[in-house]
Amino acid sequence: MSNINGGVSFAGPDGRARTVTREFAQPGPGIAIADEESVYVVDYGGTQVKQVRKDGQTVVVAEGLRSPVGLAVSADRSAAVVADWGTNTAYGYRIATG
């Protein structure tokens, strides 16, 4: 889950959330499953989309946006469409899995 205060958390089997990173200016509502161990999250207050792993490691998968808000990932997780509030545009990206 993305937290409006800049963090990204994962919920465990017991339902408790654990914040794994606070690297975002303001995580947005755009979040999608990357694989069993990570998610893609847009940084509404920043310019990037990052893959966030359960251990807190992050990898930038798209950048140069003005206010990314929405995110949709293809079924094979090789491509994403990112909605950018700042430019009123949707951008397509090739993304590496894992």
Side-chain angles (χ1 to χ4, degrees):
M1 64 192 88
S2 61
N3 307 317
I4 199 71
N5 68 353
V8 174
S9 301
F10 281 87
D14 63 358
R16 293 180 188 235
R18 179 177 58 88
T19 299
V20 297
T21 185
R22 293 191 184 278
E23 288 186 19
F24 291 77
Q26 186 176 16
I31 190 166
I33 295 172
D35 57 37
E36 291 181 9
E37 297 295 318
S38 64
V39 292
Y40 297 117
V41 182
V42 301
D43 193 354
Y44 175 67
T47 61
Q48 300 175 325
V49 177
K50 296 178 184 176
Q51 183 177 7
V52 179
R53 292 183 169 77
K54 285 184 180 180
D55 64 6
Q57 292 181 8
T58 63
V59 176
V60 175
V61 296
E63 58 187 330
L65 299 154
R66 290 192 38 207
S67 288
V69 291
L71 175 66
V73 177
S74 65
D76 67 358
R77 295 184 175 91
S78 68
V81 174
V82 180
D84 189 13
W85 182 278
T87 60
N88 294 319
T89 306
Y91 297 96
Y93 288 93
R94 285 281 192 219
I95 51 177
T97 56

